[in-house]
Amino acid sequence: MPHSHFSEQPASTALPARHHVYLALGTNLGERIHNLEYALRLLCEHVQLERISSVYETEPVGYANQPKFLNMACSGTTVLSAPELLQATQGIEQTLGRQATFRNGPRLIDIDILLYDQEQWQQEGLTLPHPRLAERAFVLAPLAEIAPDLKHPALGKNMSELLEVVSQQGILRIDQPVSISPGSPTT
């Protein structure tokens, strides 16, 4: 019997690379807590959530004639690339009924990718880290709660340090827990 040059290779057991991500969620229309909970449940299909911040009620930024926002942050790991994660978060926004309006306008849900590993890059529709992360107390307050020592890859300061230098006026941590699944609050 002739020797075969092809040998059967064992199936690859390597797990896909996991990327650590930080996301911000915001809502100011409809049942705001429900919007956050629903978005988190849908995010669980794409991100293994590890930390979820408290909910913060915040004044609108940029366009003041609208209801107050509820904001929060979460972190976790994903096998998705950054563009794939962006596509997933935009799909979640559409599923929840987000309508295109104007910049800083009212919304049922907004999900922003703040950090993806410690990557710094820009492509159409996505800049990492989020370009206004260090300017926004409504993002920094919940992010500093779950990752106070996390360094901003471009600025070299951690989230607590960044939060100290922005105005926190109009940012109120509320005692409303969110629940990802019925009966199991995660904060």
Side-chain angles (χ1 to χ4, degrees):
M1 189 160 168
H3 179 69
S4 170
H5 292 289
F6 300 100
S7 62
E8 201 170 309
Q9 296 291 325
S12 174
T13 57
L15 297 174
R18 295 203 68 82
H19 304 279
H20 206 88
V21 297
Y22 291 86
L23 306 169
L25 291 83
T27 177
N28 75 334
L29 296 177
E31 297 293 326
R32 299 176 303 163
I33 288 290
H34 173 76
N35 295 345
L36 295 173
E37 291 173 335
Y38 191 19
L40 287 169
R41 280 194 294 276
L42 294 176
L43 271 173
C44 286
E45 297 173 14
H46 308 284
V47 177
Q48 183 177 341
L49 295 178
E50 296 170 351
R51 305 281 322 260
I52 298 173
S53 75
S54 302
V55 176
Y56 292 77
E57 188 169 60
T58 64
E59 297 289 336
V61 172
Y63 175 68
N65 190 20
Q66 61 181 320
K68 290 183 179 183
F69 278 83
L70 292 185
N71 294 97
M72 65 185 311
C74 63
S75 69
T77 59
T78 186
V79 296
L80 299 178
S81 68
E84 291 169 335
L85 181 58
L86 177 63
Q87 185 176 13
T89 59
Q90 289 175 339
I92 292 168
E93 290 175 349
Q94 290 175 351
T95 297
L96 268 73
R98 179 170 176 178
Q99 302 290 320
T101 61
F102 50 90
R103 185 179 178 100
N104 298 320
R107 58 201 65 184
L108 282 169
I109 195 70
D110 184 36
I111 305 170
D112 288 332
I113 303 171
L114 302 175
L115 296 159
Y116 183 92
D117 292 331
Q118 285 288 300
E119 290 188 17
Q120 297 181 59
W121 55 275
Q122 182 173 356
Q123 70 175 46
E124 188 175 330
L126 181 61
T127 300
L128 295 171
H130 191 285
R132 291 171 299 283
L133 165 62
E135 304 165 5
R136 296 177 163 178
F138 65 87
V139 172
L140 286 169
L143 187 55
E145 177 188 329
I146 63 171
D149 298 323
L150 175 67
K151 292 252 186 227
H152 189 290
L155 303 176
K157 294 183 178 184
N158 68 37
M159 296 306 135
S160 291
E161 292 168 328
L162 292 173
L163 180 60
E164 288 175 5
V165 296
V166 297
S167 170
Q168 296 178 46
Q169 183 176 347
I171 308 290
L172 176 66
R173 183 176 165 173
I174 63 172
D175 291 328
Q176 177 76 42
V178 295
S179 174
I180 296 177
S181 59
S184 64
T186 303
T187 55

